[in-house]
């Protein structure tokens, strides 16, 4: 069977569509590490962790943030479903900085009822959003 030239990316959250387009390559943050999907990739179902996603069409790369998702590769399609995701250009840096400060304060001055895991997850999301937003803005 001929290898398809591009791969269809369907990337959604319950709140919004991030991408519905034909791309040449997608890189996702799998639980076991980052992995790339190119046209002709074998079928795959993978859990995703919090982190950056990029997808490329020709020389143009787009970046996004993802938290808690799954990716399914079937034939010429990659379906990415996440509980939370934003395109890099939609990340509000001020909000992410505030979330990071809140998480830092909670972790630095733990109270008896502090949910450490929640604070840690908040911190991880904020740091990842800041990295993605700043990198993509630097690249222009
Ligand atoms: P915050 O404390 O600022 O709400 P959070 O990490 O608790 O941050 P999430 O639960 O990850 O927020 O996301 C809740 C909703 O807010 C989602 O729709 C997500 O896309 C959006 N969101 C969260 N932070 C940002 C941000 N910095 N820029 C743009 N959208 C954001």
């Amino acid at each position: 069977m001929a290898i398809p030239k591009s791969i269809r990316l369907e990337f959604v959250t319950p709140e919004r569509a991030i991408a519905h387009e034909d791309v040449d390559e997608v890189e996702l943050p799998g639980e076991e590490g980052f992995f790339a999907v190119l046209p002709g990739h074998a079928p795959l179902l993978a859990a995703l962790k919090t982190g950056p996603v990029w997808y490329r069409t020709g020389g143009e790369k787009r970046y996004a943030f993802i938290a808690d998702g799954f990716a399914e590769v079937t034939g010429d399609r990659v379906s990415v479903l996440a509980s939370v995701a934003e395109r890099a250009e939609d990340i509000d840096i001020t909000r992410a900085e505030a979330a990071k400060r809140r998480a830092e304060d909670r972790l630095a001055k733990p109270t008896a009822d502090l949910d450490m895991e929640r604070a840690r997850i908040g911190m991880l999301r904020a740091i990842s959003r800041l990295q993605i937003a700043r990198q993509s803005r630097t690249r222009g």
Side-chain angles (χ1 to χ4, degrees), residues 11 16-21 55 62-65 85-92 132-133 136-137:
F11 181 2
R16 62 181 75 98
I18 304 289
H20 289 291
E21 60 193 71
Y55 41 101
R62 310 280 304 275
Y63 294 81
F65 165 83
E86 301 110 39
R87 293 194 189 111
E89 60 269 29
D90 293 333
I91 293 174
D92 178 337
I132 294 162
S136 78
R137 276 155 226 204

Side-chain angles (χ1 to χ4, degrees), residues 15-16 65 67 83-86 90-96 99 102 121-122 125-126 129:
E15 291 176 24
R16 62 181 75 98
F65 165 83
S83 60
V84 175
E86 301 110 39
D90 293 333
I91 293 174
D92 178 337
I93 290 186
T94 307
R95 177 173 169 178
R102 272 199 312 278
I121 289 170
R125 287 187 184 200
R129 282 184 170 117

Side-chain angles (χ1 to χ4, degrees), residues 88-135:
E89 60 269 29
D90 293 333
I91 293 174
D92 178 337
I93 290 186
T94 307
R95 177 173 169 178
E97 280 169 343
K100 179 166 172 273
R101 269 195 305 278
R102 272 199 312 278
E104 277 166 353
D105 289 346
R106 287 193 188 117
L107 292 168
K109 297 181 215 109
T111 53
D113 62 348
L114 173 72
D115 184 340
M116 292 293 279
E117 185 59 11
R118 224 176 119 189
R120 200 186 62 79
I121 289 170
M123 176 76 106
L124 198 67
R125 287 187 184 200
I127 290 172
S128 187
R129 282 184 170 117
L130 289 171
Q131 280 175 347
I132 294 162
R134 288 182 178 142
Q135 275 175 10

